Amino acid sequence: MTRYIARRLLQGAGTLLLVMFVLHLLTTVAIQLNGNPAQAFFGDKVATPAQVAAVEERFGLDDPCFDQPGNPCLGPFAERLGQYARGDLGTNLRGREVADIVGAAAPNTLRLFCVVVVTWLALGMVLGSVAARWRGSAGDHGIRLTSVLIDAFPVFVLLIVYRYVVAVPLNRWSKETFGEDSWPPYWFRPSFDPAHPWATVLVPGILLGLAGSAAFIRLVRASQLESYAGEHVRTARSKGLSEPRVVVHHVVRNSSVPVVTAVGLTFAEALGGAVITEGLMNIYGMGGVLWEAVRNDDVGLVLGIVTLLTTVTVLVMIAVDIAYALLDPRIRLGTDD
Amino acid sequence: MERMTDMDRTLTPRPLAGAWRALRRRPDAVIAAVVLVLFTTMALAPRLFTRTSPRSCDIREARVDPQWAGGAHPLGTDSLGCDVLATLVHGVRPSLLLAVVVVGVALVVGVTLGLLAGYYLGWVDYLVSRTVEVFLVIPLLLAALLILSLFQGVDLGGGTFDVILLPAIVLILFSWMPYARYVRASVLETKNLDYVTAARSLGASDLRIMVRHVLPNAVGPVTAILPTSVAGIISWEAVLSFLGIGVRPPATSWGIQIEQGSEWVTGGAPHILLAPLVCLVATVLALVVLGDALRDALDPRLAR
Amino acid sequence: MTEPVLEVRDLVKHFPVRRGLRRRTTDAVRAVDGVSFTIRAGRTLGVVGESGSGKSTLARTLLGIERPTSGQVLVDGEDVAHLSRAGRRQLRRDVQMVFQDPYTALNPRMSVGQIVGEPFAVHRVRPPRGRTSAVGELLELVGLDPGQVNRYPHQFSGGQRQRIGIARALALRPRILVCDEPVSALDVSVQGQVVNLLQDLQDELGLAYLFIAHDLGVVRHVADEIAVMYLGRLVEQGPPGDVYDRALHPYTQALLSALPVPDPAVRLTDSRAIMVEGEPPSPVDPPAGCAFHTRCPLARQLGEGARADGGTGAGRCASTPPSLEPHGAGAAHDGTAPSHRAACHFARTLPTPATVEA
Amino acid sequence: MAQITSRITATAGVAAVALTLAACSPSDVEGATDGPVTVETWISQDMETLFPGDAGSYDNISVLDVVYDGLVRYDPETTEPYNYVAESIEPGAENLVWTITIKPGLTFQNGEPVDAEAFARAWNYTADGDNGLYSNYFFSIIEGYDDMQPETGDDGEIVAPGAVDELAGLEVVDDLTLRVTLNKPFAGFATVLGYTGFFPVAQECLDDVEACATEPIGNGPFQVTEWTQSQELTAEKWADYPLDETPDYDAIHWTEYATGETSSWADFQAGQLDLSFPPTAEVEAARNDPELSQRYVERPGSALTYLGFSLYDDGPWQNVEFRKAISMAIDREGIISSLGSGSATPADSWVVPGGVPGGEAGTCEWCTYDPDAAEEALRRAGGWPEGEKLQISLGDDAAEVEYFTAIGNSIETVLGIPYELNIDPDYFSTRAAQGYDGMFRNNWFPDYPLNENYLSFYASGEPGAGHFGWYSKAFEDKLDEAAQAPTLDESIDLYQEAEGILAEEFPTIPFRWSFSATYYSERLDNVVLNPFSGAPMLRAVEVTDA
């Protein structure tokens, strides 16, 4: 098992390096084709070459390779890797430490993701189980249609409607009902409050989770249906176990493995939703920071953040794989299948 | 070989005919089919549905409420004074084309890679699995912006295909992985079945085994997720538009309309949002219902 | 006597088990571990063994799906490993297989015509009167209606499907047919028909059969020679008469005693029915000495009876692997009939239920 | 079934317990009674620095406005400068050499004196091109600026740093006197001095510029106490503030928003903010709210959005009649009333009318929507080439894209010229490099209130240069003449004449003026908007309840 974990970690490191290199190439080519990101520093004022050069030098963009389209700029890449290895994530275009930015932004995004994942699991397990248990019933059809509707409904519409139509009246109502000093007004605040991060991230997280829950509902339903059809369930039933026991011990438990796996895989995908949620609810988080960084060609910040995100995602994937291997020994013994 | 093709031809109509018979017994499937035919017609011949051009807009007529049948603007106008119905009808083509192109190309890419990985295992599988992992890890929006910035200098023109090209590239790049994973998994299951061994012991080439034996029996789970994938793409297009990296204005699409409409949903003009949203939801539901019906009709186990 | 069509010498097939970061080969699954036999045209070798004994790997190796780790396979006296490209193609035609499960052996998305005609397509063979008529003839040969050529596998019964599989195997006029438990998945009523078909085809086409089964019941009527396999090795080999009536190896005896007996009374009176307990050991790490000794009732008896006798008793079973040697009545080898051989230090004839019955 | 239900109930129960537990302790929720009286307002999230010489956005300017005091401040009504930190500012002969004396006894918040040296060190640091600061270009009017800029090679790469570190034209005469020699005469120099780039900095600040950028050491009435970058910023009143322009309340708290006012409005409605303005879709509802409309101030802004042409390239736009046709085909009124209600007004001049000295409405003769005249002008210009599309380029900003779609629609409807929007995230640098073909968006936000500030960047020096590739000798001569005028008033008049030349040659099309408006909460009073930034003047705000 230790060997399996070690091998998986090594693979993960490989993936990480590959992702970093791909991104480095993409950003390098973008700079080479579109000109100097240091220009972005000056907004709508035209900077003198001297000013641009000063900014370039400050942020390590003065390597001539950035002016030669097609040059992979391996030098700056190696330099950056060395920096990362020393634990230095570098600075953004305006000289702020990437580590500081991430330190401020990451906890909020993690809070958001926590709520999102709990929402996914709760909705997925409950609705998916119900749909699978009463396959073909009106409830099943209803749940499946709902899941499709959720899929088709863009997240931002949900958030905008909540923010402008629902949140303000709810917030006022809860203030009147529970008092200024109670929690409910915080839950329904139309935007994030750094002083009460958990309370104000709750509803946005639930909404974002709701938007992504469709896939989970379907996944749980499908894997539970498979379980219901499986030998062990038939055996359990023929042994005379009560139906709830069969459902809980044999169906729900067996179908939770693919669900957990899916959580690991949708981590990066959820970031897309995070950009929108963070923007609309004014949560200072990784999604928003990354979004702005890319828009400003802030190479250092983009690479720093993506490296961290990739590391986290890869670790989550590895953790999921290991959990999987613990549950299913065939995986760690067999070759790769 | 000619004889074989003769044989094939005589064979094909039967299961399809059966499927059609089964389909007709489901009224929801019929409705779904009608909806899809309607939108496809709209995409092909928008002028059948509206004579107003989506680009002749009178800003002084902005945000007119729906006037329904008979009025100059049956579904009202948007914030720029453009006719909502005209925009909607002309937005069908890019939206559907995008969905079909993205799902189609992603399917081909994903299925091919999944097939190769599952069939050969070894280094091919390693390569494909790592690639899948890399693409799962890179956030889509990041890549979308980077790709956009790579292509921004390129003049793409204004044809229907040109306006969807950038979002299509981005969405294809990040939607092939599930197909690859599903196909790989079911190839692993299929390739050890006896009929594959039989073909191999006959000395059939790898290509023949993959195409004739493994693939047809391994694509089942993938076809099941296709309707939802199409739905997801149309909805993603709206998200990309919301972030300013989707189909580029002044070209229209449902995504752009939804994005622009969402701004006005509380400003007294919810029809700007509702019109495209209803169409999107209808299309998606139709696809899912039809997909379900088709699957039930084609699945021999259920036909029993 | 004709020359052997198929000769197998010391065939070994190990599957490497890779472990560790560098994926070094540290261990191997010894699926086939030194097997030798010959089959002549028109004759049948029955191979019997539990699941996991390596008989399916043996079959796959003979078919060329797996490459042997060592040892030789000779078809018509030619070493398969040294064949030219054309020779290998010919080999693919000469050796064909009939599968155990007629439900998985046929591609559900191909019609019968496509399935039976596929060998022609793969080998780009143009039968004299065209492929369609060739397929029709093949279907007729196996007792199916050629008019059903456009149907799909799921429209047939198990027995019919097995006939389709046989028709496919015969398409290229092979010389050797490997039958991997061809009837064990079928209803008892159909089993006989398929076995009879196979025998008729053998008579008609002069085929050599390698007939694999997991119990001794089926092969009895088919085989000209029986080989019993355990953990990748042959433990007993000989003419059916010898093996059934005078089984030498405790494993064979156990298999025989598990056979259903026509008269239950006989079985009940037989107090010596031998039962083998437990699961077979892992082929990754087979027991030292005689691979069977961990489950062998004889070894247990010997061990109990002669605990002190470390060198000659059960201790020998655990330390020295026995070789396959001629024993018993058939030991006098006359050069034509196969000898009766067993791999057991204490091989002896035990009365079997079959003997009692006789 | 029983078990599954019980499981769900259990989960719900756990959640309920968690919530109740949480509800037990609304913890450190502000005591709300005895705390400091704080004005809650907002800025956008992209503010990165509070170093005066590096601040260029609306947001850091509005924060610096209460943290620092400049030599001059501007009258909220007339926008004319008056001396604040300066005792006097005297122009020498021909407006070339200026003598500035500073009020005695002023200090920074760390105790350092605010003297001539404090200004000189700030200006020298910012004027030094090697430091690459945002406000560097302001100092190009001072003698010796060029020597402070690094030397660049042919490809724009730096080959050597600036030769000197101090402006030759800057002389510290004594503790409180500063003498400034300009490159060339400039009558409006005193007006410029209220801009953030000319604020003084403490020596401690220059010793660690990075620290000073996040924890400024000001000389104004408020002190930054905590800045969680991109989230929130708090400034508390500086107890020892010596001058008189300081409000009664104790602190200002800015919440930073990623998407600006559109996200601040909901918070304003929920009572979290004291100042905000609704997004376009909400404007009407807010305006119709009888209670809200009582707490509303507005004033014309001074930022101009206008359209430029690629005059450096061949094209129909080389003909002035074509440009007039385009201008008259744009329905400014209609577009702005639909899309920019309450945040913009149609523009018909190049200098903001009523916003800065010399600004006058109606200087643009062809800025009124007139479809017939537009068609006529297009005919005179020779029409638009068949099959071509008019490119309209702009940056990647959703609101602007909507505006320019409407502009394009208007042009297409009136003149039948098909258009294509080119949305370019790197719009600023492409525009600076003359990279566009056709029309493109421009925006001007004045740095200081003088009509000169709206005009001088049209001076390209030679044909084909500058953003637009437009050159007029008469125009540039007029600018020079104005700069040398003996008095500011005369100078302003001459600048107006220069605007007249611009109006005649019509190189660009004014489209809209910004319009500032703010709603405020019940507890605020005396909310006045800054005459040219449009931001609420926080120094004037009064908090009624406590």
Side-chain angles (χ1 to χ4, degrees), chain B:
Chain B
M1 219 45 190
E2 319 82 60
R3 300 262 183 168
M4 278 305 270
T5 45
D6 284 346
M7 226 182 272
D8 288 338
R9 213 174 295 141
T10 54
L11 290 173
T12 36
R14 288 188 173 201
L16 270 186
W20 177 238
R21 237 176 290 126
L23 216 55
R24 272 188 310 184
R25 280 199 294 271
R26 297 180 52 162
D28 55 342
V30 176
I31 297 172
V34 169
V35 169
L36 287 185
V37 167
L38 184 76
F39 283 129
T40 315
T41 324
M42 254 185 221
L44 295 175
R47 289 186 206 293
L48 286 179
F49 295 84
T50 176
R51 300 206 166 272
T52 320
S53 157
R55 286 179 68 167
S56 74
C57 313
D58 183 355
I59 193 84
R60 292 179 189 239
E61 290 271 293
R63 298 192 302 280
V64 172
D65 280 341
Q67 299 164 335
W68 307 114
H73 302 293
L75 293 179
T77 59
D78 66 11
S79 59
L80 296 174
C82 310
D83 186 59
V84 170
L85 178 66
T87 322
L88 198 65
V89 166
H90 285 268
V92 176
R93 193 184 298 177
S95 297
L96 289 190
L97 189 66
L98 181 77
V100 169
V101 166
V102 168
V103 172
V105 177
L107 187 70
V108 170
V109 171
V111 165
T112 310
L113 291 181
L115 183 61
L116 292 175
Y119 187 80
Y120 287 109
L121 292 176
W123 65 266
V124 181
D125 183 38
Y126 185 83
L127 213 67
V128 171
S129 297
R130 286 293 84 76
T131 316
V132 166
E133 215 166 76
V134 166
F135 276 91
L136 282 176
V137 161
I138 297 179
L140 177 133
L141 291 166
L142 169 74
L145 276 174
L146 279 174
I147 287 166
L148 186 79
S149 79
L150 283 180
F151 280 84
Q152 68 185 14
V154 185
D155 181 23
L156 293 168
T160 314
F161 192 73
D162 303 318
V163 295
I164 65 158
L165 188 60
L166 279 184
I169 291 175
V170 171
L171 290 172
I172 288 168
L173 274 178
F174 287 88
S175 56
W176 61 271
M177 299 90 73
Y179 304 121
R181 292 168 63 95
Y182 278 118
V183 168
R184 177 183 176 275
S186 48
V187 163
L188 285 179
E189 249 168 57
T190 309
K191 74 166 186 172
N192 289 323
L193 291 178
D194 285 346
Y195 60 80
V196 178
T197 312
R200 198 175 300 163
S201 71
L202 269 177
S205 66
D206 285 346
L207 184 69
R208 184 185 175 88
I209 294 174
M210 280 192 273
V211 174
R212 299 274 299 184
H213 296 281
V214 177
L215 191 58
N217 294 292
V219 290
V222 166
T223 54
I225 58 169
L226 280 183
T228 1
S229 307
V230 172
I233 295 300
I234 298 181
S235 159
W236 257 110
E237 193 257 324
V239 173
L240 289 186
S241 295
F242 179 72
L243 294 168
I245 49 178
V247 173
R248 294 204 213 184
T252 54
S253 72
W254 289 353
I256 289 184
Q257 273 193 290
I258 290 175
E259 185 265 318
Q260 289 176 347
S262 66
E263 192 187 326
W264 290 98
V265 67
T266 61
H271 65 272
I272 306 175
L273 170 70
L274 288 178
L277 202 60
V278 165
C279 287
L280 170 63
V281 168
T283 312
V284 167
L285 283 182
L287 279 170
V288 172
V289 168
L290 211 60
D292 262 16
L294 263 179
R295 194 168 66 239
D296 289 355
L298 290 174
D299 194 333
R301 280 176 304 173
L302 291 173
R304 217 170 10 178

Side-chain angles (χ1 to χ4, degrees), chain C residues 312-326:
Chain C
T312 56
R316 198 166 148 216
C317 291
S319 59
T320 320
S323 57
L324 193 64
E325 279 165 5

Side-chain angles (χ1 to χ4, degrees), chain A residues 30 34-36 39-46 48-56 58 62 67 92 94-97 101 104-105 108 125-126 129-130 133-134 163-164 167-168 171-172 175 180-196 202 242-245 247-249 252 278-284 288-289 292 295 297, chain D residues 1-4 7-8 19 21-32 45-49 54 56 129-138 145 149-152 156-158 195 210 214 228-232 255-259 261-272 279 282 396-397 425-426 428-429 431-432 443-445 447 467:
Chain A
N34 297 325
N36 206 312
Q39 179 65 48
F41 185 80
F42 296 94
D44 53 358
K45 288 279 188 305
V46 186
T48 62
Q51 285 174 315
V52 173
V55 175
E56 273 186 349
R58 254 193 280 169
D62 50 348
D67 298 330
N92 75 350
R94 290 182 184 272
R96 251 180 101 189
E97 289 285 332
I101 297 176
N108 294 335
M125 283 316 257
V126 171
S129 301
V130 169
R133 177 70 187 76
W134 289 280
R163 191 152 198 250
Y164 288 103
V168 174
N171 178 278
R172 284 201 188 135
K175 268 184 192 159
E180 291 269 349
D181 285 1
S182 62
W183 279 112
Y186 283 94
W187 297 335
F188 303 119
R189 261 180 81 140
S191 63
F192 181 71
D193 176 3
H196 300 90
L202 192 67
S242 71
E243 192 60 26
R245 215 183 144 72
V247 171
V248 172
H249 284 262
V252 173
E278 288 171 358
L280 281 172
M281 305 305 290
N282 202 40
I283 302 168
Y284 184 66
V289 170
E292 281 305 312
R295 288 171 83 93
D297 287 341
Chain D
M1 190 52 221
Q3 277 204 13
I4 235 188
R7 183 176 255 219
I8 294 168
L19 295 182
L21 281 180
C24 287
S25 53
S27 70
D28 50 336
V29 176
E30 57 246 47
Q45 211 171 57
D46 52 13
M47 188 172 84
E48 291 285 353
T49 176
D54 211 9
D130 298 331
N131 296 323
L133 294 189
Y134 181 86
S135 299
N136 173 278
Y137 70 101
F138 271 93
Y145 170 82
Q149 307 316 308
E151 217 178 297
T152 52
E157 295 292 317
I158 298 245
Y195 182 68
E210 243 173 77
T214 54
T228 317
Q229 242 173 322
S230 302
Q231 297 192 65
E232 53 184 339
T255 306
E256 299 192 29
Y257 286 95
T259 45
E261 61 193 14
T262 53
S263 31
S264 73
W265 182 247
D267 280 349
F268 175 77
Q269 287 184 304
Q272 310 297 336
E282 305 280 317
D396 190 0
D397 174 322
D426 277 346
F428 290 117
S429 48
R431 191 184 64 186
N443 193 55
W444 182 253
F445 180 78
D447 297 314
H467 279 182

Side-chain angles (χ1 to χ4, degrees), chain C residues 98-250:
Chain C
V98 176
F99 292 87
Q100 172 181 7
D101 183 356
Y103 290 87
T104 62
L106 307 178
N107 187 336
R109 309 217 173 221
M110 287 167 81
S111 70
V112 172
Q114 288 170 324
I115 292 171
V116 177
E118 187 172 28
F120 299 126
V122 168
H123 285 271
R124 299 209 177 79
V125 174
R126 205 173 256 279
R129 266 157 309 168
R131 197 178 288 168
T132 318
S133 65
V135 168
E137 282 164 24
L138 281 166
L139 289 178
E140 240 171 307
L141 187 65
V142 295
L144 288 172
D145 175 7
Q148 294 175 321
V149 74
N150 285 340
R151 295 210 181 169
Y152 282 81
H154 72 266
Q155 293 167 299
F156 292 90
S157 71
Q160 286 173 314
R161 291 195 203 190
Q162 201 57 302
R163 286 169 194 264
I164 297 169
I166 293 168
R168 170 178 60 191
L170 295 177
L172 296 171
R173 305 273 157 197
R175 313 202 37 209
I176 303 157
L177 210 53
V178 177
C179 306
D180 187 3
E181 307 199 31
V183 296
S184 58
L186 301 178
D187 287 348
V188 182
S189 56
V190 188
Q191 285 187 351
Q193 296 173 14
V194 173
V195 169
N196 287 340
L197 170 67
L198 284 171
Q199 279 182 317
D200 292 346
L201 289 170
Q202 185 170 45
D203 294 343
E204 199 173 323
L205 305 170
L207 294 164
Y209 284 170
L210 179 75
F211 200 103
I212 295 171
H214 65 267
D215 68 50
L216 284 159
V218 182
V219 286
R220 171 167 213 171
H221 308 288
V222 191
D224 300 300
E225 188 182 356
I226 305 278
V228 179
M229 217 171 161
Y230 185 76
L231 277 187
R233 292 163 182 265
L234 295 187
V235 293
E236 181 156 3
Q237 194 177 6
D242 289 347
V243 173
Y244 281 82
D245 299 340
R246 290 178 293 279
L248 294 167
H249 197 280

Side-chain angles (χ1 to χ4, degrees), chain D residues 454-468:
Chain D
Y454 287 90
L455 301 170
S456 58
F457 60 85
Y458 282 100
S460 54
E462 56 182 354
H467 279 182
F468 317 107

Side-chain angles (χ1 to χ4, degrees), chain D residues 305-358:
Chain D
T305 301
Y306 60 105
L307 291 123
F309 292 92
S310 54
L311 294 173
Y312 40 79
D313 268 342
D314 270 349
W317 45 80
Q318 292 291 356
N319 189 326
V320 68
E321 291 302 322
F322 178 81
R323 303 199 290 268
K324 289 177 191 168
I326 294 283
S327 177
M328 288 186 286
I330 298 172
D331 182 3
R332 294 174 181 74
E333 284 282 347
I335 293 170
I336 288 164
S337 70
S338 173
L339 301 178
S341 187
S343 64
T345 50
D348 58 3
S349 64
W350 283 265
V351 179
V352 62
V356 302

